[in-house]
Amino acid sequence: MMRNHKLLLGLALAVLFMASCKKEETFSQNTYDEYVRSIFPVKNFDNTYQQWASIGFATARITINGTPSEEYQVGIYLENPKNNNKVTKLYEGKISSTSSSTRLNTAIPFLLAQPSVWVMVVNSKKHYVIQKAAINYIEPNYILNTTITWPTETSATKQLPSEASPFAFRYLFEEDFPDAGDFDYNDCVITVIPEIAADNAKKVTLTVRAEAAGAQKTLGAGLRLVGITDGLIESKVCTQQLPAPPANLGEYKNIPDGDFTKSNTDQSSLVLLLCKDMHWVMNPVEGTNGGITRQPYNTRREGERVAVKEAKYEFVFKNEATARNMMNQEIYDCFIVEPYNGSFWEVHTVQNGRKGDLVLHYDVHGKTYQEYLNAYVNSGVGKVTWALLVPGTVAYPYEGIRITAAYNQFEGWGQNMNNNTQWYLYPTFGNVWQ
């Protein structure tokens, strides 16, 4: 994060954080809107419909007309698996038929710019069928409806792809909300990868990768699983944690202790407490001053490159349907917690309507956080986002490179979400992390 835009901050924001009960009378919405518009890299952005969404989710309904008492392996992929083992899997699992026709229902993520996938079905003799299937919007949901009719004679055999990679959700964060920074979206980069176990259809492993920390602030991070409550879970455990700073380096109040908590907003959804300090996660070594070295990690061309760190969480659900629904991107609300103006603020995506959500619910100068938050979310710049959810293969910008310089088509997409929908496929060479 490079700070070049602080001059207007005092004009727009200072009065908002005074202890006066007359916040509504002193806060200038117009001044704040003008301030953000002058800095946000997308000019004339769509402040009505824009959700900054590249990933959607669909309900896949796959009907197999075949043999009674047969067990099928089913795979759904972004690419054609016929001659390619290195595909991206959206779902893999087994289904047993009790009649000549059986159906699989599952949630799958998909690319909104690519509303079609490949379905592969393999029977017990390793005979297979591969079929392309379209994803259609049938209000209010995306639906994949396809029927696999087993050929009467087939001799070709094949396994499901052996080198398929799971679909990943990557979150790119800007610090300083509600202030505006450089919008390089690399202050915190976290990737979330859900996988259903091959040997237990009720078991899901979540891998969370800390990829980069370009922030100057101390940033904590959490992951809310929206609608996933303890009542749906048979067991849960964190088998591998992200590095946590030792107690002698200070007291952290941004993220509670432990591996799990519940959302303070809806009082039920499970929250994974990922980390208290992203800089320590990326480089868990005390600096020469005996503290934490706050420098960018994995964001500068010539800066320090460190290994990606991983956390792993294992869930066993009470039924297979809940496990399959863990492939739904709407469940995942990854957020960062930043110190701001003497308190803590959360940064969420605009996608799925999360920007105004509160998970750990901090107070700001004795007033509820929501009172302040509403002024920014319900405004003329309410759709400006400090967080992006993108496919896990998307490269983030180098330090100080605005998102529009890293991806030339990003601005056109920001102005109209139906244009340049594949913007992330065309990075500017030399401007993104390699």
Side-chain angles (χ1 to χ4, degrees), residues 131-199:
Q131 189 166 295
K132 192 173 185 178
I135 297 173
N136 297 301
Y137 184 69
I138 303 174
E139 194 171 358
N141 300 311
Y142 286 96
I143 304 293
L144 183 159
N145 263 323
T146 193
T147 298
I148 303 291
T149 300
W150 211 260
T152 54
E153 293 184 14
T154 179
S155 59
T157 61
K158 187 175 177 65
Q159 302 270 18
L160 293 183
S162 59
E163 299 179 66
S165 301
F167 190 91
F169 306 104
R170 177 163 290 171
Y171 293 84
L172 313 180
F173 290 99
E174 273 288 303
E175 63 179 341
D176 275 352
F177 175 72
D179 190 11
D182 56 3
F183 291 103
D184 55 11
Y185 292 101
N186 65 19
D187 294 331
C188 177
V189 179
I190 292 175
T191 303
V192 178
I193 308 170
E195 288 188 90
I196 300 173
D199 58 350

Side-chain angles (χ1 to χ4, degrees), residues 80-87 128 130 158:
N80 188 345
K82 184 172 184 179
N83 298 309
N84 182 10
N85 271 329
K86 295 183 178 181
V87 292
Y128 70 95
I130 295 175
K158 187 175 177 65

Side-chain angles (χ1 to χ4, degrees), residues 80-288:
N80 188 345
K82 184 172 184 179
N83 298 309
N84 182 10
N85 271 329
K86 295 183 178 181
V87 292
T88 305
K89 67 178 177 182
L90 309 177
Y91 171 83
E92 283 184 350
K94 298 177 181 179
I95 185 171
S96 298
S97 65
T98 57
S99 64
S100 58
S101 181
T102 188
R103 171 181 278 190
L104 169 71
N105 290 326
T106 186
I108 59 168
F110 74 100
L111 302 179
L112 290 170
Q114 180 187 318
S116 62
V117 296
W118 294 86
V119 178
M120 181 175 181
V121 180
V122 181
N123 69 8
S124 58
K125 296 179 181 179
K126 309 304 180 189
H127 297 157
Y128 70 95
V129 173
I130 295 175
Q131 189 166 295
K132 192 173 185 178
I135 297 173
N136 297 301
Y137 184 69
I138 303 174
E139 194 171 358
N141 300 311
Y142 286 96
I143 304 293
L144 183 159
N145 263 323
T146 193
T147 298
I148 303 291
T149 300
W150 211 260
T152 54
E153 293 184 14
T154 179
S155 59
T157 61
K158 187 175 177 65
Q159 302 270 18
L160 293 183
S162 59
E163 299 179 66
S165 301
F167 190 91
F169 306 104
R170 177 163 290 171
Y171 293 84
L172 313 180
F173 290 99
E174 273 288 303
E175 63 179 341
D176 275 352
F177 175 72
D179 190 11
D182 56 3
F183 291 103
D184 55 11
Y185 292 101
N186 65 19
D187 294 331
C188 177
V189 179
I190 292 175
T191 303
V192 178
I193 308 170
E195 288 188 90
I196 300 173
D199 58 350
N200 184 350
K202 297 179 182 180
K203 183 178 178 180
V204 174
T205 298
L206 283 183
T207 301
V208 179
R209 291 178 179 166
E211 309 266 2
Q216 293 186 357
K217 292 180 176 181
T218 301
L219 299 183
L223 177 62
R224 177 172 55 154
L225 305 181
V226 179
I228 301 300
T229 65
D230 282 334
L232 300 173
I233 300 171
E234 194 71 46
S235 66
K236 64 181 186 291
V237 63
C238 177
T239 59
Q240 180 176 319
Q241 299 173 318
L242 293 175
N248 67 294
L249 293 184
E251 182 181 5
Y252 287 81
K253 297 182 179 180
N254 55 354
I255 298 288
D257 294 330
D259 296 325
F260 305 98
T261 190
K262 293 182 180 179
S263 170
N264 285 327
T265 306
D266 56 30
Q267 298 297 318
S268 57
S269 293
L270 188 67
V271 181
L272 313 187
L273 302 171
L274 301 180
C275 70
K276 296 175 180 288
D277 194 322
M278 273 293 293
H279 289 98
W280 180 265
V281 168
M282 299 308 297
N283 185 25
V285 178
E286 290 190 31
T288 55

Side-chain angles (χ1 to χ4, degrees), residues 270-345:
L270 188 67
V271 181
L272 313 187
L273 302 171
L274 301 180
C275 70
K276 296 175 180 288
D277 194 322
M278 273 293 293
H279 289 98
W280 180 265
V281 168
M282 299 308 297
N283 185 25
V285 178
E286 290 190 31
T288 55
N289 62 352
I292 294 174
T293 303
R294 301 213 177 278
Q295 68 180 39
Y297 294 106
N298 294 352
T299 64
R300 289 179 173 172
R301 291 185 180 90
E302 306 301 327
E304 185 164 1
R305 293 180 176 237
V306 297
V308 169
K309 308 303 189 299
E310 285 190 352
K312 288 187 179 292
Y313 300 83
E314 291 184 356
F315 299 88
V316 177
F317 294 97
K318 293 182 179 179
N319 61 68
E320 294 180 14
T322 304
R324 290 196 293 268
N325 198 43
M326 292 294 286
M327 303 308 296
N328 175 359
Q329 58 86 11
E330 291 187 357
I331 284 177
Y332 301 102
D333 176 24
C334 191
F335 61 96
I336 60 173
V337 180
E338 61 173 4
Y340 190 83
N341 197 54
S343 190
F344 295 104
W345 288 62

